[in-house]
Amino acid sequence: MTADIVRYLTHPQVQIDPAVPVPQWGLNSVGRARAEALANAGWLASTTQIVSSAERKAIETAEIIAGRLGIMIEIREAMHENDRSATGFLKPAEFEEVADQFFAQPHLSVRGWERAVDAQARIVRETEAALARNRPGDVLFVGHGAVGTLLFCHYASHAIDRVHDQAAGGGNCFAFTREGRRVLHGWRKMEEIGA
């Protein structure tokens, strides 16, 4: 019998619309195609639970995979991305600058954003609450890049640092064992897992 694996997957590419609040953005055609390819890839076949952030892009990703596996998704409101509502939409270059500061100064609120230490505590708490049920089978969490990186830093025993961030474009995954919470691999593009 193989040990259960826990995976954290970030949603792939989204339809960016400055007029729409970021949590309500959905997948774009590329992101949807990537999620559909992942759902058919086979390496998630042992997954018995899918837990998603309540943001639309994460739910859409989770639903595509869950539909293929024939399982329900659980939505956890507090698994959302770091709260960036203080600034709203930022153009890419400005966003990257603020994101750099978010990771570099985890104990400070950068431009009103949720502090990285608080976002990390929240995502760890939510992940552990879901895992505490100890149901058999692999678990897939579907969420976001920043909180996913904070979660990875926690389980890998790394200080919060953007050097551990996922590659651009989303649709990346890291994995750890349920037993002992041992990291199996860091961020990998979902197309490269199980290949």
Side-chain angles (χ1 to χ4, degrees):
M1 179 167 161
T2 58
D4 293 339
I5 297 173
V6 180
R7 297 179 176 95
Y8 189 96
L9 173 71
T10 60
H11 63 80
Q13 289 88 340
V14 298
Q15 187 64 49
I16 295 171
D17 184 347
V20 174
V22 176
Q24 294 171 25
W25 288 356
L27 298 178
N28 66 16
S29 58
V30 172
R32 184 165 292 281
R34 289 183 72 202
E36 287 168 357
L38 171 62
N40 292 310
W43 57 266
L44 290 172
S46 297
T47 302
T48 58
Q49 297 173 73
I50 298 179
V51 183
S52 175
S53 154
E55 294 192 34
R56 181 176 163 200
K57 49 197 169 276
I59 291 172
E60 288 180 3
T61 304
E63 285 177 340
I64 290 168
I65 298 164
R68 181 71 174 91
L69 295 175
I71 58 179
M72 300 292 292
I73 68 170
E74 174 189 353
I75 296 171
R76 292 187 75 94
E77 292 281 341
M79 293 196 82
H80 60 81
E81 183 58 293
N82 62 315
D83 184 349
R84 307 189 297 247
S85 57
T87 57
F89 175 78
L90 296 174
K91 291 183 178 174
E94 185 180 7
F95 172 83
E96 293 301 328
E97 283 179 24
V98 181
D100 284 345
Q101 294 171 33
F102 168 81
F103 282 102
Q105 302 174 74
H107 292 277
L108 297 178
S109 172
V110 179
R111 293 185 53 186
W113 283 17
E114 178 181 23
R115 299 185 316 161
V117 289
D118 297 328
Q120 184 181 55
R122 173 174 54 77
I123 195 67
V124 169
R125 181 183 67 243
E126 290 298 304
T127 301
E128 287 297 325
L131 293 176
R133 292 182 299 232
N134 212 24
R135 296 179 186 154
D138 294 350
V139 182
L140 177 67
F141 289 96
V142 182
H144 311 277
V147 290
T149 297
L150 296 171
L151 188 66
F152 172 74
C153 288
H154 171 77
Y155 288 124
S157 299
H158 295 314
I160 293 172
D161 192 316
R162 199 170 188 194
V163 71
H164 304 296
D165 199 1
Q166 68 168 348
N172 295 286
C173 181
F174 77 88
F176 58 95
T177 59
R178 184 200 299 267
E179 186 70 31
R181 310 290 195 260
R182 182 175 54 84
V183 172
L184 296 170
H185 63 78
W187 291 119
R188 291 184 189 166
K189 288 199 176 299
M190 58 191 191
E191 291 84 358
E192 297 169 0
I193 299 174

